[in-house]
Amino acid sequence: MKVSYHSVHQPRCGVCLKHCKSFESLREHVIGPLPKEDCSRVFSEQGCNLCLKVFDSPISLSEHKRSCRLPAPSPIGTMKLPYSDPIVVSHNGRGPGAIAIDCEMVGGGDDGTLDLCALVCLIDEDENVIFHTYVRPQIPVTNYRYEITGLTEEHLRDAMPLKLVQEKILQILYNGESIVRARMQGGKARLLVGHALEHDLDCLRMTYPDNLLRDTAKYPPLMKTNLVCHSLKYLTQKYLGYNIQTSFHDPYVDSVSAMRLYKRMRAQDHLNDASEISTDAYISQNVTSKFDSLRAKELEQMSPDELYEISRPNYKCWCLDSSQAIQP
């Protein structure tokens, strides 16, 4: 139990209650090539293929599916949107809001393989665009990657300089909070959601505190069983129910999809321990401390349920970001 990190935060089969390391392993358990027979039979009648929950009856399942399968967002395309300076938002101690980001890159360098940010989009939790602009690369573009981006030289002719883009994005993200406090406690700074955020931040030549990043490519429950990340296209199709990136990549559509995945994971109905939520050092302080504080003989005498009660996951579950879970 100490090394498996079983907890209420892990995905579980709604039929046999088996713990799974990820939703992908749960998916294989109920609808994979070699599913568990009893679980597969029940799931085929009462289970949702998107969120993988099991319901009391086919009627309940039918009602649930209407809200679980989301419509695809409409792409913005290559139109220009106005930008106004952001307003600092007070959350009254209820936890920061989240901002999703996605960038489209063109190629630089002799062979066009150097990623240069050419278009960036930021949205809020309600899928409203708060920043959307073309970015002027600092070095010449040698490959516009038109088949993927849909961008040409004309789009970047009057683009915003990268330095100004950096300033605008950091203004939105830090939300009036000091960098020191954001790195320590978060404060008013916003959570940054995206897919493969390291790639986006690198091409923007920016950094942001790790404790405020919510990356759908690195979140263990959304990864493959061998802990390799899925593509955003795959996650969107499997967990939200619609297709993206069928032609040109649209940063608005991709950022909305990442935000929806984040909100779906954050909304997981887990039994939260208030004492766990009050600290940013959730993993380092809770994963092994309760096991290490007990002697081996005491652990051997505990029942599986008692061991399960003191076990913790080896990652911070996004359900802890929920404003209902954050203490004022």
Side-chain angles (χ1 to χ4, degrees):
M1 184 70 77
K2 181 176 178 179
V3 298
S4 63
Y5 303 111
H6 288 320
S7 76
V8 295
H9 300 287
Q10 278 188 326
R12 298 183 74 180
C13 174
V15 183
C16 70
L17 303 183
K18 172 190 166 102
H19 288 271
C20 298
K21 289 292 186 182
S22 66
F23 284 102
E24 191 69 11
S25 59
L26 174 57
R27 187 180 300 278
E28 292 179 1
H29 175 75
V30 292
I31 55 177
L34 296 172
K36 186 174 180 181
E37 185 176 351
D38 292 342
C39 297
S40 178
R41 176 176 48 79
V42 174
F43 189 87
S44 65
E45 299 176 355
Q46 299 170 215
C48 175
N49 289 339
L50 296 177
C51 66
L52 302 179
K53 292 180 180 179
V54 176
F55 292 84
D56 295 335
S57 66
I59 296 177
S60 299
L61 173 62
S62 179
E63 294 175 352
H64 163 80
K65 282 185 174 181
R66 285 196 285 269
S67 60
C68 194
R69 183 176 296 276
L70 300 177
S74 299
I76 289 179
T78 55
M79 63 182 290
K80 290 189 176 182
L81 297 179
Y83 167 74
S84 58
D85 288 333
I87 300 173
V88 175
V89 178
S90 173
H91 297 281
N92 300 318
R94 289 178 61 84
I99 298 293
I101 188 172
D102 188 72
C103 301
E104 289 304 320
M105 291 80 160
V106 292
D110 293 339
D111 57 359
T113 59
L114 182 62
D115 289 334
L116 307 172
C117 182
L119 178 60
V120 60
C121 179
L122 276 71
I123 65 158
D124 62 17
E125 292 193 30
D126 296 322
E127 304 178 7
N128 299 312
V129 177
I130 55 178
F131 187 57
H132 184 279
T133 187
Y134 295 109
V135 183
R136 185 189 307 160
Q138 294 183 311
I139 65 174
V141 178
T142 54
N143 184 357
Y144 284 90
R145 302 174 184 174
Y146 179 79
E147 298 79 7
I148 297 174
T149 66
L151 299 178
T152 65
E153 181 180 358
E154 181 64 27
H155 291 108
L156 304 185
R157 193 178 303 280
D158 299 316
M160 186 180 291
L162 179 61
K163 184 175 177 56
L164 182 56
V165 172
Q166 294 168 340
E167 293 174 357
K168 297 290 187 182
I169 293 176
L170 291 176
Q171 182 184 5
I172 294 169
L173 294 180
Y174 280 109
N175 195 30
E177 188 58 84
S178 69
I179 296 178
V180 173
R181 188 178 180 196
R183 293 185 182 280
M184 296 294 293
Q185 300 176 330
K188 294 180 295 184
R190 294 175 165 118
L191 300 174
L192 181 60
V193 177
H195 189 81
L197 280 170
E198 182 178 358
H199 194 195
D200 289 332
L201 292 174
D202 280 349
C203 80
L204 286 166
R205 300 188 180 183
M206 286 174 43
T207 61
Y208 199 59
D210 288 344
N211 60 307
L212 297 176
L213 300 181
R214 299 295 182 265
D215 195 334
T216 56
K218 294 184 176 181
Y219 188 50
L222 290 176
M223 298 177 78
K224 298 179 183 180
T225 53
N226 60 355
L227 296 183
V228 174
C229 68
H230 282 294
S231 67
L232 180 61
K233 182 174 184 176
Y234 174 89
L235 293 175
T236 300
Q237 197 275 327
K238 289 294 184 182
Y239 295 96
L240 302 178
Y242 59 87
N243 295 313
I244 62 172
Q245 301 174 355
T246 54
S247 56
F248 296 140
H249 291 200
D250 188 290
Y252 173 73
V253 172
D254 289 355
S255 57
V256 167
S257 299
M259 177 64 81
R260 289 176 176 180
L261 285 166
Y262 166 71
K263 291 171 67 175
R264 182 152 289 185
M265 294 297 105
R266 187 181 64 182
Q268 294 290 308
D269 187 16
H270 298 150
L271 300 174
N272 295 314
D273 182 346
S275 64
E276 296 172 5
I277 301 165
S278 61
T279 178
D280 287 330
Y282 172 80
I283 298 175
S284 60
Q285 292 185 5
N286 285 295
V287 170
T288 59
S289 60
K290 293 194 177 182
F291 280 103
D292 292 341
S293 64
L294 298 173
R295 296 178 180 177
K297 185 173 293 185
E298 293 175 308
L299 292 172
E300 291 173 358
Q301 294 174 351
M302 295 176 70
S303 68
D305 288 341
E306 290 172 328
L307 290 170
Y308 175 71
E309 187 175 344
I310 66 172
S311 180
R312 297 293 181 266
N314 58 346
Y315 62 91
K316 183 173 181 178
C317 182
W318 287 349
C319 77
L320 302 178
D321 291 338
S322 171
S323 59
Q324 290 79 17
I326 302 292
Q327 291 183 330

